[in-house]
Amino acid sequence: FFFSSSATAPRPPRELEMLGVALALCCSLALFQTAHAVLGGACTPSSGTYTLRNQTDLDALPAGCTSVNGNVLISCVDGTGAGAIQDLEVFQILEEISGYLVIQQCSYLESLTGLSYLKKISGNTLFTNVAGVSGFAVYIRNNNRLTSLAGLQNLTFVGGQGERGAGKIHISENVNLCYTDKVNFADIVGDSYTRVVDVTNGNNGSCSARTCSDDCSCGVCFGPGAAYCQGDCSSDNKTKLILIIVFSIIGGVLLILLLWMCCTRRLGCRMRCGKRTLQLGSLPTKVSDVQWLNSAAPEPRETDQFVPTASDDPFASAIATLPRLQEDRARRRTVPNTLPPMTNHRPSNHTMLPAPAEDDHTRDSTL
């Protein structure tokens, strides 16, 4: 790395040249590795699971993981005081875990805010607890200083084998934990949340007084403050309001159109409620177009009856003449009989009249 324009300049020792080359290679490798560490990316544990028991294990994790192709098991059975796990800032840009997430027995862990970018836990591998119960995608248990679930507010998917809601969520025995009842788990696991979610607050009696921030438009949250609201419902509320206005306008237009058609005799309709009747528009009767009957409906008049005609019904003419035929028949029955009574009995003396004489001409013609 020494250059000179003079041909007579002394040449540096060979050892010095080799040292310069080595330093240049080291600097290049360092810059290359640093650039890749800052960019982050997918991190894959060699055993399939990052098992973290103390702060030393956390410090040994790769820097800048945006996703973990495996599981994250945080079980604080080792380490006390300064050596215990107190925060999860090492996961501050982590967005996805393909397996499960377990946080248990961490007595010094007070917050989950290091997981604020976590959005998805696929549950391709599910956790089995010490009691032999399996199927857990999220398992948070026995963390005495944990006061809220703040840090999980961006979590929108928990599944099993990549299927939404197929992995269980179990959060229990965290004595100071609150806000679990303020989370809408249906937005995380879907409609099966009543079957796969087992979440309880701690024994802290003040949990009932804890509320979400007024800035949480949905009224649900993972912890105190506007930063831990679960989702943003303002857009949903606007959509609902727009739909209500649109359907109200459509309904009003249809109602006005219906009344207009009825009042202009383009459409007929009749509504009855008990003895009250409202009739609008044109119907096959001679009742007025608009009629309110506030009392009992009057007896129908003859002029109000709809009488079919021959053009309406082929039997109309026969039906119309039937009353006249009945009247004629009744009138004939009431006419007195003026003819003399007919008798077919013989005289009382039983005298036989002589037969008429038969002359020769009659007898000859008979023969």
Side-chain angles (χ1 to χ4, degrees):
F1 282 36
F2 295 93
F3 301 93
S4 175
S5 60
S6 174
T8 60
R11 184 181 181 85
R14 185 175 180 81
E15 292 81 3
L16 189 57
E17 292 180 354
M18 296 298 295
L19 180 60
V21 173
L23 289 174
L25 290 174
C26 290
C27 291
S28 300
L29 290 174
L31 290 173
F32 180 79
Q33 292 178 354
T34 302
H36 279 71
V38 171
L39 291 175
C43 299
T44 304
S46 58
S47 63
T49 302
Y50 284 130
T51 302
L52 310 172
R53 299 178 181 274
N54 49 46
Q55 190 63 39
T56 303
D57 293 338
L58 282 179
D59 296 338
L61 284 176
C65 295
T66 56
S67 65
V68 172
N69 294 328
N71 312 307
V72 176
L73 172 61
I74 304 174
S75 183
C76 305
V77 296
D78 298 333
T80 58
I85 296 178
Q86 300 181 14
D87 61 67
L88 302 177
E89 296 300 324
V90 69
F91 298 113
Q92 59 184 341
I93 63 172
L94 180 64
E95 297 180 359
E96 181 178 353
I97 298 174
S98 67
Y100 57 75
L101 171 65
V102 175
I103 305 173
Q104 63 179 355
Q105 299 178 344
C106 295
S107 300
Y108 292 88
L109 182 63
E110 299 180 358
S111 172
L112 304 178
T113 54
L115 298 172
S116 293
Y117 279 83
L118 184 60
K119 300 177 182 177
K120 182 177 182 179
I121 300 177
S122 299
N124 293 334
T125 304
L126 298 175
F127 176 70
T128 302
N129 64 12
V130 294
V133 182
S134 60
F136 299 103
V138 177
Y139 192 83
I140 302 175
R141 179 176 174 270
N142 197 16
N143 304 284
N144 296 336
R145 295 191 182 184
L146 194 62
T147 59
S148 73
L149 297 175
L152 298 179
Q153 66 274 3
N154 289 316
L155 185 62
T156 58
F157 183 97
V158 172
Q161 301 299 322
E163 180 182 354
R164 186 186 182 93
K168 301 177 184 177
I169 297 178
H170 181 84
I171 303 175
S172 68
E173 299 185 39
N174 305 281
V175 295
N176 290 306
L177 181 63
C178 295
Y179 291 96
T180 60
D181 57 334
K182 302 293 190 293
V183 178
N184 183 11
F185 285 98
D187 287 347
I188 301 175
V189 297
D191 295 335
S192 61
Y193 70 98
T194 56
R195 179 176 56 85
V196 300
V197 175
D198 180 17
V199 176
T200 57
N201 276 334
N203 299 325
N204 192 337
S206 64
C207 286
S208 59
R210 307 289 179 89
T211 59
C212 296
S213 171
D214 294 338
D215 295 329
C216 297
S217 57
C218 300
V220 289
C221 61
F222 285 82
Y228 306 118
C229 297
Q230 183 181 10
D232 182 10
C233 294
S234 57
S235 59
D236 295 339
N237 294 334
K238 291 179 181 178
T239 302
K240 293 179 181 178
L241 180 60
I242 292 173
L243 291 177
I244 292 174
I245 294 175
V246 169
F247 281 108
S248 299
I249 293 174
I250 293 175
V253 170
L254 291 178
L255 180 60
I256 294 173
L257 180 62
L258 177 63
L259 293 175
W260 176 77
M261 294 181 69
C262 289
C263 294
T264 56
R265 301 180 62 86
R266 288 175 172 81
L267 181 68
C269 54
R270 176 182 294 168
M271 293 172 286
R272 290 179 179 175
C273 181
K275 295 182 179 180
R276 297 171 61 88
T277 302
L278 171 65
Q279 179 173 309
L280 295 174
S282 177
L283 288 172
T285 63
K286 294 183 180 180
V287 183
S288 59
D289 291 340
V290 180
Q291 184 181 48
W292 276 102
L293 300 178
N294 296 321
S295 59
E299 294 295 329
R301 298 173 299 177
E302 182 179 358
T303 57
D304 292 336
Q305 301 299 321
F306 173 69
V307 179
T309 62
S311 60
D312 299 325
D313 189 345
F315 299 100
S317 58
I319 295 174
T321 58
L322 182 60
R324 183 172 58 80
L325 294 176
Q326 292 176 345
E327 292 178 358
D328 293 344
R329 184 176 180 181
R331 186 168 49 254
R332 285 196 300 270
R333 289 179 179 176
T334 59
V335 175
N337 188 2
T338 58
L339 297 177
M342 298 179 65
T343 58
N344 56 1
H345 61 276
R346 295 179 179 181
S348 59
N349 54 6
H350 300 284
T351 303
M352 299 296 295
L353 296 177
E358 183 177 12
D359 54 11
D360 296 337
H361 177 73
T362 304
R363 183 173 57 252
D364 293 339
S365 62
T366 303
L367 294 174

